[in-house]
Amino acid sequence: MTLAPSSADLQQPVVRVQGLRILFPSLDGSDTVKAVDGVDFEIRPAETFGIIGESGSGKSTIGRALVGLLDATEGVVELDGRTLNSVPRRERRTARQAYQIVFQDPHAALNPRMTLMESLTEPLRIRGGVSEDEMRRKAQDSMERVGLRAEMLGRYPHELSGGQKQRANIARLLPLNPRLIVCDEVVAALDVSIRGEVLNLFADLQRDFGIAYAFIAHDIAVVAQVSDRIAVTYLGRFMEVGPAEAVTERPLHPYTTALLSAEPRPLPAHLREARRIDLKGEIPSPVDPPSGCRFRTRCPWAQARCAAEVPEWRELRPDHYVACHFATPHGIEAPPAAGEHD
Ligand SMILES: Nc1ncnc2c1ncn2[C@@H]1O[C@H](COP(=O)(O)OP(=O)(O)OP(=O)(O)O)[C@@H](O)[C@H]1O
Ligand code: SF4
Ligand SMILES: [Mg+2]
């Protein structure tokens, strides 16, 4: 079985995350790393939900929690209206197969000692209930669907290019009828020339099968290109979530503006002067994040209030949310206050 919804609740989100916290012990075991520290969001059917933010901001940890590779320390991850824990134990493995992750390293997911045919039929063999002929036919269909020739099924991973491997990784998921695929830096390791092809493949599969994606990447231009909405993550929290175009062209949060300012590509004209922010210093430790607004130690607009109060999550434009005391639909209200930094 899968957790696929009935036709009566097709509008139900594929993913609903509430109050998610994921804590790890620090390396020496004496402290707690707050990798994800209170995030709420939904991913809608056939939607691409982009997640951006600097290294260490918690993107991959969120992605792993969505597919059940990590348990929430606190909070709830609901997939098609149910938590995986609520699925009877014997059905859990099958249920989990509808929620998959593809990583940056296309080599890692394919077993080097298995032919592609073996790799592609393995998930169905584990699930059981499918004849050998049916599995082989599904493997051939999947290969064709991702633009690989069926004759390649006899090959081993080392006989494929990086782009072909990433296509094979995707082909491996299709017989599982995925509802959600978490894409964690899926094109980062690929040549720029084949990135577009792989991104187009993801878009085609979404159109044809209604798959929802959580799309995690450092490259903001890529995330902006493929996403319907974008979440901007900083130190385990969301700073801003909204429609992709609005977030990247008319950001509400100073951190988003700073991330965009750090982009090597030219910014849209209206962002180039007044709203440019240089992102200074390092991201603070997730063991002991700043009080109040986590971005305050690097924010040129930080005021005393920013250290004292956690900013509320406010909808300033339709479907566009921000966590900043001074954000308005038109920009930041507070004057720069350099002296307020710690
Ligand atoms: N298993 C773990 N044990 C301890 N700390 C961890 C573990 N996994 C992640 N962390 C820490 O949690 C924080 C978030 O890590 P995460 O990998 O989610 O970041 P990220 O946003 O994906 O970064 P990157 O862009 O570099 O991939 C980091 O400080 C990281 O060191
Ligand atoms: S102005 Fe204050 S609340 Fe807004 S981002 Fe800067 S530090 Fe955070
Ligand atoms: Mg990561």
Side-chain angles (χ1 to χ4, degrees), residues 59-60 184 216:
K59 305 180 298 294
S60 297
D184 195 350
I216 299 166

Side-chain angles (χ1 to χ4, degrees), residues 188-262:
L190 302 180
D191 282 353
V192 174
S193 59
I194 49 175
R195 276 184 193 181
E197 291 173 17
V198 172
L199 292 175
N200 285 341
L201 171 60
F202 276 105
D204 290 348
L205 297 176
Q206 183 169 65
R207 195 192 53 231
D208 295 349
F209 302 118
I211 304 168
Y213 298 123
F215 195 94
I216 299 166
H218 275 101
D219 188 328
I220 297 175
V222 167
V223 178
Q225 181 195 332
V226 303
S227 302
D228 297 297
R229 287 184 301 144
I230 293 181
V232 183
T233 316
Y234 187 75
L235 270 182
R237 290 245 174 104
F238 286 165
M239 299 290 109
E240 174 164 5
V241 174
E245 194 178 310
V247 169
T248 52
E249 296 195 0
R250 284 167 290 126
L252 295 172
H253 198 284
Y255 178 58
T256 314
T257 308
L259 273 184
L260 292 166
S261 303

Side-chain angles (χ1 to χ4, degrees), residues 40-304:
D40 301 79
F41 64 100
E42 295 179 349
I43 304 181
R44 301 157 188 165
E47 181 184 36
T48 300
F49 186 78
I51 305 179
I52 58 174
E54 283 166 287
S55 188
S57 57
K59 305 180 298 294
S60 297
T61 307
I62 294 171
R64 287 175 152 91
L66 294 185
V67 296
L69 287 180
L70 276 175
D71 288 331
T73 313
E74 278 175 36
V76 176
V77 176
E78 263 182 22
L79 301 164
D80 288 311
R82 299 169 75 182
T83 60
L84 285 175
N85 283 344
S86 71
V87 177
R89 192 167 285 280
R90 63 180 183 286
E91 295 170 16
R92 213 172 285 168
R93 177 183 241 171
T94 311
R96 271 171 72 155
Q97 288 188 334
Y99 312 95
Q100 294 283 340
I101 190 161
V102 179
F103 292 108
Q104 165 170 352
D105 182 359
H107 318 282
L110 296 168
N111 185 328
R113 283 182 287 280
M114 284 188 183
T115 62
L116 288 192
M117 178 62 94
E118 288 164 336
S119 280
L120 262 64
T121 52
E122 188 194 29
L124 288 178
R125 190 165 286 122
I126 292 170
R127 181 190 283 186
V130 186
S131 72
E132 197 63 33
D133 277 356
E134 179 72 2
M135 280 192 285
R136 297 177 80 83
R137 199 181 53 72
K138 280 183 184 284
Q140 282 163 0
D141 287 351
S142 298
M143 288 287 279
E144 201 172 304
R145 198 62 202 72
V146 301
L148 292 176
R149 293 192 310 279
E151 71 208 39
M152 284 186 170
L153 280 165
R155 289 201 193 170
Y156 288 90
H158 73 266
E159 296 170 312
L160 304 176
S161 71
Q164 288 169 335
K165 265 183 229 161
Q166 207 57 310
R167 284 172 191 271
N169 280 329
I170 300 162
R172 194 167 183 266
L173 305 184
L174 293 184
L176 305 171
N177 299 323
R179 295 268 307 149
L180 168 81
I181 299 179
V182 175
C183 304
D184 195 350
E185 300 284 2
V186 282
V187 293
L190 302 180
D191 282 353
V192 174
S193 59
I194 49 175
R195 276 184 193 181
E197 291 173 17
V198 172
L199 292 175
N200 285 341
L201 171 60
F202 276 105
D204 290 348
L205 297 176
Q206 183 169 65
R207 195 192 53 231
D208 295 349
F209 302 118
I211 304 168
Y213 298 123
F215 195 94
I216 299 166
H218 275 101
D219 188 328
I220 297 175
V222 167
V223 178
Q225 181 195 332
V226 303
S227 302
D228 297 297
R229 287 184 301 144
I230 293 181
V232 183
T233 316
Y234 187 75
L235 270 182
R237 290 245 174 104
F238 286 165
M239 299 290 109
E240 174 164 5
V241 174
E245 194 178 310
V247 169
T248 52
E249 296 195 0
R250 284 167 290 126
L252 295 172
H253 198 284
Y255 178 58
T256 314
T257 308
L259 273 184
L260 292 166
S261 303
E263 274 288 278
R265 266 159 280 229
L267 290 167
H270 59 283
L271 282 179
R272 254 175 243 155
E273 290 171 19
R275 311 235 353 232
R276 202 181 157 84
I277 301 178
D278 290 325
L279 199 47
K280 292 200 178 73
E282 294 286 303
I283 187 167
S285 163
V287 168
D288 187 21
S291 65
C293 173
R294 295 183 174 212
F295 185 54
R296 69 179 168 84
T297 56
R298 299 164 84 193
C299 178
W301 281 280
Q303 316 280 313

